[in-house]
Amino acid sequence: MATTSHWEFSVSPLSRPTNGATAMRARTVLALALTCLVMGARPLLSLESGSSLQIHGFVSQGALITTKHNYIVSSSTQGSFELSEVALTASAVPWDRLRIGMQLFARDLGDEGNYAVSIDWAYGDFRLRDWLGVRAGRFKTPVQLYNQVRDIDAIRIPIFLPQAVYAEDIRENSLATDGVDLYGNIPLGYLGDVDYDAFVGTVNIQNANSRFQQERNTQAGEAGAAAMEQGMAAFFPPGAVNVSYEGTDNQKAHFRYAGGGMLRWNTPLRGLMVGGSAVVRRLEESKTHRLVSAITLPQNPAPMKDALAIEGSADVSMLSYTGFAELQIGDFLLAAEADFLDMSMDVLVVPPAPQPAMNSTMNARTIGVYGLAGYRITSWMAVSAYYGSFRDLDDFDGSKAAAADPSMATKDYFSWHNDACASLRFDVTPYWLIKVEGHAFQGTARVLSIDNVGRSRTKDWGLIAGKTTFTF
């Protein structure tokens, strides 16, 4: 694999080779051994047939604290050490052109993970030609600029990739695909070369009750309770009816399919790569929202309570497409990315009898963008900074949502999220690194309400994090 002086340790997954054969060789090694990191100039994995089994891995421990809002970790305003990752990777080349490998991964990120071990990726990879290879199994989804390497803390400077594009709360939706991927490198002569991927399969949801899903359930359940209360109030004196949301049961979620592709053009301009990706996913989910109605009448001051259930199901179509560019010049790295999501949700709600079932369609369009710059100061120290923004394309500045709330409690900054980040990395040894970073946020669109009950949302807030990683 081609190596360069510094950016093995950068945000970039690997330096861009200048010819098709070298590019294919480097891409194949990286794709198979995403986390088989042997720091320094040694290759990740031998390409010779009959090579011995390779075992590698990493252990990371971090801490973070936020001001004003709990974010990423549900108790972050108090400070938290629930920022840990562990991975163990095994890979081998049993014979020429065939590579197999797998990675076990566990993490603790607040209420997520709790060190539950999962198969992060596991597949066989057979390279027919430089321009055509095939891998089958569970592989990191080839979308966006850094999705395939987002779990490898040791090859980038920031602790957190820009959350405008790589949001931790919806990580499972795009991280890995179970299926088949065709890939290759096509030389273009004086125009450089192109790497491509085309994949189809499904996404395995390992945690159907994630914090993000709980947030959705709470919003849907409270909306259902409000609608039930409004409907029942027509039959009782004013203020006599109260309906509250109690929780969600019988939750099921399944991706019927996921498919897409990615192109990366390694341009003839040294160090410049531009590209894009697109993926379509189909999600089916069902759940039961538990409600409690309480009716208080003048002649009976003790409220009459009744348990209610609302059955809900949804058919969700998601189309996301991304454009990106990366420029490496010596010790400098520049990167930019724009990620679009177009989502349509067909919802069926079945309230308690005798009320009829209700169908509705909801649409959402969002965009996440960022620009990043990094610089390797010395062999043991590097810095980076990025600025990212997440917006609703149908309410870019949040004014529509604010105007729709007659109580004026909803502010425009509830609908968007800006993130300015600065990071510093120290390579203590080739196998041990330390990072620190700070974030200045504006807006709260990425903040979960269930983690901030009783807290007022404020426009300006921040985060400080530190992390250390050991590789072997």
Side-chain angles (χ1 to χ4, degrees), residues 270-287:
R270 184 178 179 183
L272 176 62
M273 183 276 296
V274 297
S277 65
V279 59
V280 60
R281 302 180 183 92
R282 182 81 172 273
L283 172 68
E284 294 178 341
E285 56 181 350
S286 61
K287 61 194 70 175

Side-chain angles (χ1 to χ4, degrees), residues 395-417:
D395 189 12
F396 199 79
D397 61 358
S399 58
K400 294 181 181 178
D405 184 359
S407 70
M408 302 182 67
T410 301
K411 306 300 181 183
D412 57 1
Y413 58 82
F414 291 6
S415 300
W416 46 266
H417 183 90

Side-chain angles (χ1 to χ4, degrees), residues 74-272:
S74 60
S75 58
S76 62
T77 53
Q78 304 172 30
S80 175
F81 283 91
E82 293 181 292
L83 181 60
S84 309
E85 298 167 327
V86 181
L88 183 64
T89 301
S91 55
V93 182
W95 61 82
D96 190 35
R97 298 183 181 271
L98 177 64
R99 295 149 184 88
I100 58 175
M102 69 175 293
Q103 176 173 281
L104 299 178
F105 181 80
R107 71 170 185 161
D108 182 30
L109 187 65
D111 297 323
E112 304 295 335
N114 295 318
Y115 289 112
V117 178
S118 64
I119 297 178
D120 200 30
W121 56 264
Y123 57 84
D125 185 318
F126 187 73
R127 189 182 68 192
L128 299 170
R129 297 288 188 272
D130 284 349
W131 56 269
L132 180 61
V134 59
R135 62 177 63 97
R138 174 170 295 176
F139 49 86
K140 290 297 181 71
T141 308
V143 295
Q144 303 168 331
L145 185 53
Y146 301 125
N147 186 68
Q148 291 175 286
V149 292
R150 67 183 295 176
D151 285 338
I152 312 179
D153 180 70
I155 65 169
R156 66 173 183 260
I157 300 172
I159 296 174
F160 294 108
L161 284 169
Q163 295 297 288
V165 174
Y166 301 95
E168 287 295 331
D169 55 8
I170 55 174
R171 176 177 178 271
E172 277 196 342
N173 288 355
S174 61
L175 185 63
T177 298
D178 297 347
V180 178
D181 177 35
L182 299 179
Y183 68 93
N185 177 273
I186 302 174
L188 300 177
Y190 292 110
L191 297 178
D193 60 85
V194 170
D195 296 316
Y196 75 88
D197 284 90
F199 66 93
V200 66
T202 187
V203 176
N204 181 42
I205 300 176
Q206 299 181 23
N207 183 12
N209 194 38
S210 66
R211 297 298 287 172
F212 177 75
Q213 189 59 52
Q214 292 177 42
E215 175 90 347
R216 291 183 61 212
N217 291 341
T218 300
Q219 292 173 349
E222 290 178 347
M228 289 287 294
E229 182 175 308
Q230 183 178 11
M232 296 172 62
F235 303 96
F236 296 94
V241 179
N242 176 266
V243 180
S244 59
Y245 166 69
E246 298 296 315
T248 299
D249 298 322
N250 304 321
Q251 182 165 306
K252 299 178 182 178
H254 169 69
F255 277 94
R256 291 186 59 187
Y257 61 79
M262 179 167 63
L263 290 175
R264 292 174 180 249
W265 177 31
N266 306 304
T267 73
L269 300 177
R270 184 178 179 183
L272 176 62

